[in-house]
Amino acid sequence: MSPDVFIAGGGPAGSAAAILLARAGVRVTLAEKRREAHHKVCGEFVSGEAVETARDLGLDLSALGAVPIQVVAYATPSGGVVRRTLPFPAVSLSRLVLDEALLGAAEAAGARVLRGVSVQGFDLDPDGGTTVRLDGDGPVQVPAFFAATGKHDLRGHARPEGRQGDLVGLKMLYRRAVAPSDPVVTIVPFRDGYAGLQPVGQDAVNLCLLVSRRRFADHGGRFDDLVRSLVAEAPEIARQLDGAEPLLDKALAVTRIPYGYVRRVTEGPWWLGDQAAVIPSFAGDGIAIALESARQAVDTLLSGGTAAGYQRRFASTVSRQVGAATVLSQLMVRPSWQRPSALLAAVPGVLAGIGLLTRVRLPTGA
Ligand SMILES: Cc1cc2nc3c(=O)[nH]c(=O)nc-3n(C[C@H](O)[C@H](O)[C@H](O)COP(=O)(O)OP(=O)(O)OC[C@H]3O[C@@H](n4cnc5c(N)ncnc54)[C@H](O)[C@@H]3O)c2cc1C
């Protein structure tokens, strides 16, 4: 039997949409190209809005091992660190765990979840429906197609470069030699990029960084060489990685991230998550945006609205946050701005203000 909705991608956006649709009694199939649970390039900072939406979707993030994050720290070029209480609740949680729990919840809600199945593309049918092409399986005709493939564009539907598209994202998990004394997310600007360091679980730290393609190429595209030079350049990275052991065989990488992109129109599909809008990573709100896109798309579909209407409304929900975060992200990677930005970060209220400015929606607990 054909589904009413077909979803490409089992990240936060696709899974959340599958849960909400299945709960509403809609026949929904989701295809996730990866067969197994996997790590993703992510700071693993789950903001308060995302925590609340995940709770509404039936997930208990504490039970999954989430660690509350209460403090944001901003490292200065002179080696100091400005610390401020986060103006909203947040947690740290491995994406491998979070994304798998969301997919499991989708299946439990009644969605059909296909693992190891990749969507190759889609064709718009004259009757307004969509034919979805799958690898290794026949095409599926559906009334509605949700595209939630995150950083991977569907063939023939590449997103434009965005406003800050020249950064490479890299991530490595380390076992720390010394357990962190308190739950802090630390942002460390460096020449041509910035890093986020955050505890994950009891004794691991996640190093997630964004660096210009040019600087990464200067290090031969080798993560270890880049990290060695950052340890020499940024005392806070040296301090947190002192004696730490890598936990992954190799660093994860993602290129061509169209930061600042917001999709305003659609020719047919319902574009969700990173396919709808891409907020710079330091904001730590991409997961919340992905979940919110799912909520808005499903609400619109269930109330008889159109994909075009949803896309317009969602773009207007997120464009201010994405725009503000992109301007700040562009300044953060500019060497001439790193000293002034450290001075600015030390002014009471500034870090909290930036945190609030870059939320898609304030958590009610804030
Ligand atoms: C460096 C970096 C750091 C970040 N740090 C944070 C952070 O700390 N906090 C935060 O909130 N956000 C962060 N983000 C953003 C966040 O990761 C994304 O916004 C979020 O994952 C988007 O969710 P999504 O469901 O749209 O896509 P994804 O999470 O990318 O999921 C898409 C899924 O689709 C699958 N897929 C892809 N193509 C196909 C296909 N053709 N067929 C079937 N399946 C397919 C993929 O395997 C994947 O599982 C960060 C991003 C980057 C790049």
Side-chain angles (χ1 to χ4, degrees), residues 190-234:
F190 55 79
R191 183 171 58 80
D192 288 342
Y194 55 86
L197 287 139
Q198 191 177 262
V200 185
Q202 288 313 304
D203 58 357
V205 61
N206 183 28
L207 169 68
C208 187
L209 52 88
L210 285 152
V211 61
S212 71
R213 278 195 277 237
R214 195 192 40 198
R215 176 152 186 196
F216 193 41
D218 288 348
H219 295 281
R222 285 184 296 272
F223 176 77
D224 292 346
D225 284 6
L226 171 65
V227 170
R228 255 192 298 280
S229 103
L230 294 181
V231 162
E233 179 181 331

Side-chain angles (χ1 to χ4, degrees), residues 14 40 49 77 164 233 246 258 292 297 333:
K40 285 186 173 167
E49 316 103 281
Q164 193 185 24
E233 179 181 331
E292 177 66 14
V333 302

Side-chain angles (χ1 to χ4, degrees), residues 19-89:
I19 296 169
L20 295 169
L21 288 165
R23 276 191 193 163
V26 176
R27 282 176 309 166
V28 53
T29 298
L30 179 154
E32 164 53 48
K33 73 173 179 181
R34 298 286 297 266
R35 200 170 290 281
E36 272 121 32
H38 56 283
H39 284 288
K40 285 186 173 167
V41 180
C42 185
E44 325 225 87
F45 178 87
V46 185
S47 62
E49 316 103 281
V51 173
E52 278 182 7
T53 314
R55 191 187 313 126
D56 294 345
L57 294 171
L59 261 62
D60 178 351
L61 299 193
S62 311
L64 293 172
V67 177
I69 299 287
Q70 283 144 4
V71 174
V72 55
Y74 193 84
T76 65
S78 54
V81 175
V82 177
R83 291 164 59 99
R84 296 285 181 261
T85 302
L86 266 177
F88 47 80

Side-chain angles (χ1 to χ4, degrees), residues 40 66 99 101 109 117 151 157 218 220 227 235 277 289 306 325 331 337 342:
K40 285 186 173 167
D99 288 20
V117 174
K151 39 194 101 31
H157 296 275
D218 288 348
V227 170
I289 287 179
T306 62
L331 294 177
W337 265 87

Side-chain angles (χ1 to χ4, degrees), residues 51-331:
V51 173
E52 278 182 7
T53 314
R55 191 187 313 126
D56 294 345
L57 294 171
L59 261 62
D60 178 351
L61 299 193
S62 311
L64 293 172
V67 177
I69 299 287
Q70 283 144 4
V71 174
V72 55
Y74 193 84
T76 65
S78 54
V81 175
V82 177
R83 291 164 59 99
R84 296 285 181 261
T85 302
L86 266 177
F88 47 80
V91 301
S92 155
L93 179 62
S94 155
R95 284 295 298 281
L96 183 150
V97 174
L98 175 64
D99 288 20
E100 225 26 50
L102 283 165
L103 264 179
E107 215 157 11
R112 182 165 171 246
V113 174
L114 310 173
R115 296 297 296 254
V117 174
S118 183
V119 171
Q120 296 295 319
F122 63 88
D123 301 301
L124 300 175
D125 302 334
D127 67 356
T130 307
T131 299
V132 183
R133 285 178 269 116
L134 308 176
D135 63 348
D137 216 338
V140 184
Q141 280 184 300
V142 275
F145 173 52
F146 281 21
T149 54
K151 39 194 101 31
H152 306 279
D153 292 326
L154 286 167
R155 205 169 297 152
H157 296 275
R159 292 160 297 170
E161 203 180 43
R163 286 164 49 202
Q164 193 185 24
D166 63 333
L167 299 176
V168 179
L170 295 156
K171 170 216 176 103
M172 174 54 86
L173 276 173
Y174 297 86
R175 188 179 310 286
R176 259 183 187 171
V178 183
S181 51
D182 53 2
V184 179
V185 54
T186 309
I187 296 171
V188 187
F190 55 79
R191 183 171 58 80
D192 288 342
Y194 55 86
L197 287 139
Q198 191 177 262
V200 185
Q202 288 313 304
D203 58 357
V205 61
N206 183 28
L207 169 68
C208 187
L209 52 88
L210 285 152
V211 61
S212 71
R213 278 195 277 237
R214 195 192 40 198
R215 176 152 186 196
F216 193 41
D218 288 348
H219 295 281
R222 285 184 296 272
F223 176 77
D224 292 346
D225 284 6
L226 171 65
V227 170
R228 255 192 298 280
S229 103
L230 294 181
V231 162
E233 179 181 331
E236 185 57 21
I237 295 183
R239 194 184 69 73
Q240 294 212 25
L241 293 190
D242 188 25
E245 294 289 335
L247 286 171
L248 307 178
D249 292 342
K250 68 193 240 307
L252 306 180
V254 53
T255 56
R256 302 182 50 78
I257 316 162
Y259 285 129
Y261 170 71
V262 177
R263 192 186 294 263
R264 293 168 199 282
V265 290
T266 175
E267 69 283 34
W270 304 63
W271 301 94
L272 270 57
D274 276 4
Q275 286 292 321
V278 188
I279 193 164
S281 307
F282 82 90
D285 220 31
I287 300 168
I289 287 179
L291 297 174
E292 177 66 14
S293 70
R295 198 183 62 74
Q296 287 196 18
V298 173
D299 278 358
T300 308
L301 183 93
L302 294 178
S303 59
T306 62
Y310 147 74
Q311 216 70 58
R312 242 191 339 267
R313 178 169 149 235
F314 186 67
S316 73
T317 306
V318 295
S319 54
R320 188 179 58 84
Q321 285 80 7
V322 172
T326 307
V327 169
L328 290 166
S329 179
Q330 286 165 331
L331 294 177

